[in-house]
Amino acid sequence: MNLNNQCEPLSQLDAFLASVEQRAYRTALFTTKKSQDALDIVQDAMMQLVQYYRNKSIQEWPLLFHRILQNRIMDWHRAQQKQKRFFWQSPVSDPDDENPVDEMLEMAAQDQQYNPVELMVRAQNVERMIKAVDVLPLRQRQAFLLRVWEGFDVEQTAQIMECTAGSVKTHYFRALQRLRELLGEEGEGF
Amino acid sequence: MSNENHNESINQAFNQSLNKSLESIDEKTKAELTSIRRGVLRSTESEVIILSAHPLWKNKKVASIGLALAASVMLVMVMPGILQNNPVQDFSSDFVIYSEVDPDWLVDMEIAEALGDD
């Protein structure tokens, strides 16, 4: 294989992975709460991207990488759920399993109460804000981080999360609502 | 302010907070991430998984592949020694496959034997 042909994509890959590695680690850490598990997930995601998708165009890498990363996080989450069941612990109910249509209607009705400026002011405290994100259910957190932090639009987020755009909207709005509740509770630490 | 602008502002605020949270990642973890990235990229250069890269060993899949490879290599190295100590006797020269023998040569041999000629 021609070394020159190989070096350029590799340096691009290196630059891309360097640009996403810390955020990917932080994203995984939100779910795993364990540094080593988060590192394993990031490593898995990097390996998969490099092994199977390095020949794709650079523009496709962010979407592919986050899709792999979110899948790995979901796998980890499912494995934990299985482990809990194995040890006869009651599985944690995911509030995201509720009917999304009803929830959307409810949220639309409550939209007038949503005050982003107030929320923004309250979100100044980074630590408090991170703790609030930390308590979000997995799917809400995924939608929230992909939309807000990674800057993906609804369609891209839907592709990454392997669900419909409507589901993404539901998760995202629920996340915002939950954050509003959490950050609005002045004096009640998380 | 419209809802869209509100969303923009709130997204920016959350984005800044999340970016700031990256500062709390300690140096050791950052070094591990860099090491993982380099190990992964090195694996593409040689078109095989680099097993000597330390962080890769944390991955169970890679570790199991490594162990399997190591076991195979050991087996290949040890097998000749085992075979040398317990050589399998080669009987192949004791058998003659008659279908492959030239019939004329057999006739010549029989005539020679009948004449008592060695």
Side-chain angles (χ1 to χ4, degrees):
Chain A
M1 192 182 286
N2 188 340
L3 196 65
N4 289 334
N5 289 345
Q6 199 184 17
C7 281
E8 197 183 345
L10 274 184
S11 64
Q12 287 170 341
L13 252 179
D14 187 37
F16 168 72
L17 292 176
S19 71
V20 295
E21 65 186 13
Q22 287 188 21
R23 280 184 301 173
Y25 167 76
R26 193 69 191 84
T27 302
L29 193 64
F30 271 125
T31 302
T32 64
K33 313 276 190 296
K34 292 173 196 163
S35 178
Q36 284 307 315
D37 286 351
L39 285 171
D40 279 351
I41 287 171
V42 172
Q43 179 180 269
D44 252 8
M46 283 183 176
M47 291 274 274
Q48 280 226 332
L49 182 84
V50 168
Q51 279 180 350
Y52 302 111
Y53 302 108
R54 68 172 185 267
N55 294 325
K56 296 264 181 188
S57 71
I58 301 170
Q59 288 75 24
E60 288 179 83
W61 286 347
L63 204 92
L64 289 165
F65 178 75
H66 283 283
R67 190 169 183 167
I68 298 165
L69 181 73
Q70 296 302 334
N71 278 338
R72 293 284 80 77
I73 291 172
M74 284 298 287
D75 289 347
W76 185 93
H77 181 72
R78 288 192 193 111
Q80 295 299 307
Q81 299 291 90
K82 267 188 196 170
Q83 204 176 353
K84 279 179 185 171
R85 273 201 293 272
F86 181 75
F87 288 106
W88 293 282
Q89 291 178 11
S90 56
V92 180
S93 63
D94 191 345
D96 285 2
D97 292 341
E98 294 161 18
N99 184 353
V101 179
D102 292 348
E103 195 67 24
M104 279 293 279
L105 291 171
E106 195 184 326
M107 276 187 299
Q110 291 176 352
D111 201 33
Q112 297 304 314
Q113 299 166 14
Y114 173 60
N115 185 348
V117 178
E118 191 185 340
L119 186 56
M120 182 180 71
V121 172
R122 286 171 179 167
Q124 294 303 312
N125 185 329
V126 176
E127 199 179 335
R128 214 160 155 252
M129 152 74 205
I130 296 303
K131 279 180 183 171
V133 174
D134 206 26
V135 298
L136 290 176
L138 178 61
R139 296 295 273 175
Q140 286 182 24
R141 189 167 54 237
Q142 283 181 329
F144 178 77
L145 291 176
L146 288 167
R147 295 277 286 113
V148 173
W149 206 12
E150 304 297 341
F152 291 115
D153 61 27
V154 174
E155 291 299 328
Q156 289 171 324
T157 307
Q159 278 182 48
I160 292 169
M161 291 176 65
E162 294 176 344
C163 62
T164 62
S167 263
V168 170
K169 286 179 189 169
T170 306
H171 292 311
Y172 178 61
F173 278 109
R174 272 194 216 172
L176 282 179
Q177 223 181 10
R178 181 83 178 117
L179 289 171
R180 176 176 155 264
E181 285 168 16
L182 292 168
L183 294 169
E185 291 166 3
E186 286 290 342
E188 289 183 26
F190 306 115
Chain B
M1 201 188 283
S2 69
N3 261 355
E4 208 169 296
N5 286 340
H6 284 168
N7 281 340
E8 190 85 11
S9 313
I10 193 69
N11 284 359
Q12 274 181 3
F14 276 120
N15 208 324
Q16 281 170 8
S17 300
L18 287 162
N19 283 334
K20 273 198 168 185
S21 78
L22 294 180
E23 291 168 13
S24 65
I25 299 175
D26 58 52
E27 290 305 315
K28 190 187 160 210
T29 308
K30 282 179 187 171
E32 279 191 78
L33 281 168
T34 307
S35 177
I36 285 170
R37 171 165 44 86
R38 285 181 186 157
V40 167
L41 288 170
R42 235 178 290 146
S43 74
T44 64
E45 283 172 348
S46 56
E47 297 292 332
V48 292
I49 298 163
I50 300 293
L51 296 166
S52 57
H54 163 66
L56 291 178
W57 285 99
K58 286 177 187 147
N59 186 306
K60 284 169 197 159
K61 273 186 207 162
V62 177
S64 57
I65 291 168
L67 286 173
L69 273 173
S72 310
V73 169
M74 280 180 72
L75 200 65
V76 167
M77 288 172 75
V78 168
M79 275 305 273
I82 295 170
L83 289 175
Q84 211 167 15
N85 291 334
N86 304 288
V88 178
Q89 210 170 345
D90 186 5
F91 296 104
S92 59
S93 60
D94 294 348
F95 299 101
V96 177
I97 302 166
Y98 283 96
S99 61
E100 290 177 4
V101 177
D102 182 2
D104 291 340
W105 177 79
L106 274 177
V107 171
D108 291 345
M109 285 293 288
E110 281 167 13
I111 292 167
E113 275 176 18
L115 295 171
D117 191 358
D118 290 333

